[in-house]
Every structure is written in C-alpha cells, then in structure tokens.
Amino acid sequence: MNPLVLPAANPSKYKPNATAAAQDLRFPPTPPTSTSELSSLKIRLHSSLRQFPDFPSKGILFEDILPIFADAHLHQDLIRALELYVEDHYGGAERPDVIVGLEARGFLFGPSLALRLGAGFVPVRKQGKLPGPTETAGYDKEYGTDFFQIQADGIKPGQKVLIVDDIIATGGSAAAAGSLVRKLGGTLLGYVFILELDFLQGRQKLDAGASTLLSSQ
C-alpha cells in the first residue's frame, strides 16, 4: 500500500496578516467634537465675508454676509454653525421653543435654524407689515424713532425664545424685539448675532445675554 502523502503546507497561506491584525486592534477613528467642527466652520464662514469701507456711513467697515447665501455649501455651513452654537449655549432645559428673527436679514437664516432645532419661527417686522392684532415697540434711530411689531399670538406665555439677527450695531432694534417677546409672556433666553460692531456698545441696551458667532470689529 502506498503511504498517504499530504501536500506540503504553504506557510504564507496560514500566516496571519500583520496589517489586518493591527487594523482590527486599532480603535475606530475619533469623530470630530462639536467644538472643533464649530471652529472649522467659523474659519470658512469668516473668510467668505466681503468688506466695504465707509458703508453705510463714513468710518464704518461694513462686512457683507451675502456671499454666504450665494453659495449652497457656505449657507449650509452657517446653519450648522448656528445649530452647534445654540446647542452648546442653550441646550437641555434651555433649548428654545421659538426663534425670533428681525427684519430683514434675520429672515435669511432664522427659519432654517428654527427647523434644525425643532423650534417655531416668528418674525419681527417694521410697523404696518404684519396682519391681524400686533404688539408694538419703538426704538431710537439716528433721525427719529422707528417701530417694530410682532403678531399678538406669535409667542405663547412661558415659551423660551431666542432672538437672532445678522449684526448688532447700536442695539436699539434688538432691544425692541426683546421687549415684544416679554410683552407676549415669552421667556427671553438671549440674542445671537453673526457679527457685532463692538465700538457702538449695543449690548448695553439689551436685557438678556448676547453672543456673536463670528469675530467682531
């Protein structure tokens, strides 16, 4: 009887793959934190701003946010950055029920932010632009007094409200919006702006905390 001959073992066939083994032992990559994500978003957003000196008056360096909305990716970046910012500063029990946007640029991003946060959106408009019963608040401007209005049923008593706008300058219009929120019985959490003209000290007119997404002048 012929002896049974087994084929020679192929060492390479059974040798464990060192690279694969190492990959199996590695921890999965750490996802970026909300802080690092927000920092990256801020850098991209700020680099997209255009500057116009002496507009709307001499001595003002106007920073134009409209290029953000002209680019779909930047627009998405802005909403994501605001979402992260609000969740970090107004999360948990302080999460807003309502986002109030000021006419007119607060309308550009306020509704999208509200949708992301699962909140309602309520506009504050110049006098005479809203139908039905309204509440009114005045604020001083350089050449007189202007008025903001909000629909009387826009905010329910006790709802937590966050006010947003593109920029805080003298703070008068934002303060008027805050007074309207309180007139309707809302709880004013604070204000969030994209930019700020620090030298005008508009925050001093506000009766709730204010914060700015991007670096200020």
Side-chain angles (χ1 to χ4, degrees), residues 202-214:
R203 288 174 184 249
Q204 295 183 6
K205 294 183 180 178
L206 306 181
D207 59 354
S211 48
T212 305
L213 180 66
L214 303 181

Side-chain angles (χ1 to χ4, degrees), residues 74-96:
L74 288 171
H75 190 175
Q76 187 174 19
D77 285 347
L78 174 64
I79 302 305
R80 176 59 176 162
L82 287 166
E83 178 188 14
L84 290 172
Y85 192 88
V86 171
E87 287 179 344
D88 184 48
H89 289 75
Y90 303 97
E94 293 301 302
R95 193 177 182 89

Side-chain angles (χ1 to χ4, degrees), residues 12-25:
S12 63
K13 183 177 180 181
Y14 301 101
K15 184 179 179 181
N17 187 311
T19 302
Q23 287 175 341
D24 291 341
L25 293 174

